[in-house]
Amino acid sequence: MQLREIRNPEPGPGQVVVHVKASGVNPLDLKIAAGQAAHAQRELPAVPGMDLAGVVDRVGEGVTGFVSGDEVYGLTGGVGTLQGSLAEAVAVDAMLLAHKPRSLSFREAAALPLVVITAWEGLVDRARVGAGHKVLVHGGAGGVGHVAVQIARRHGAEVFATDAPHKLASIEALGATGIDYRTPVDEYVEKYTDGEGFDIVYDTVGGPVLDASFAAARYYTGHVVSSLGWGTHPLAPLSFRGATYSGVFTLLPMLTGRGRGHHGEIAEAAAALVDSGELTPLVDPRRFTLDTVADAYALVQSATAAGKVVIDVA
């Protein structure tokens, strides 16, 4: 990655030009940079970055929901044909934007879009989480995981979450029951559900954890959701329980143009939860700029960040 001067963007029909204040870093950003995510690759040279928070500068023809000076955030680019957020200004589809939560800084807001949309689509759109559900989140202290825990609790569910032992305290602080990820599946299924299984299992880890998720679902009515469905997995454990599986592919609206408005709707709903004190992003305190993007990526790669890594753009 290299810093370059590019042409200042102009808003097209339905677009908004945003002065970017902060850009969140996601593991997918690293995969794209390494050429490993073929489904999300852009033609080079390309500006990376998926999440942003900033201030509206200009609006294009047909845009009615935003005006100059609005503080906004969203999952807006960095894949397909869409310019990313690691730039001082970017023209984005207004449907992908929402008004920034008033109670958050730009850094905090930039930490939310991808993870909150991924968590929401899995729990609310697919699994219809609600009161009385027992929800298990794999990777509960991670980016998507810590947001999924909060969204599930907001909807009245009793929440359990797996992760490494040193991360269980942060899970408990969010109001969930922490489970050491090394614990055998049948052991915690028996302990917390009397052997029946969880109503909803959200896998944010992938690989063998998806297989474990199939074995943890409630008989007949259980619903497994995963945001990392790569690989080959036997469906027999899920079928033997009569349960359901759904995959979440958050990039689809950005890559195809279909359903973009729903991403903006989720971000608006999430902003309301934030401002009511029901959703809080975890942000790593270390600071990065456009000059030190590589260092930010290295921190994410190390898996040692204490929350979402965010780059200060402005």
Side-chain angles (χ1 to χ4, degrees), residues 21-35:
K21 298 290 187 180
S23 174
V25 183
N26 298 287
L28 181 57
D29 290 306
L30 278 63
K31 294 179 181 178
I32 293 172

Side-chain angles (χ1 to χ4, degrees), residues 260-278:
R260 287 184 178 178
H262 188 47
H263 274 196
E265 293 168 354
I266 293 173
E268 290 284 2
L273 291 184
V274 170
D275 287 334
S276 66
E278 297 173 287

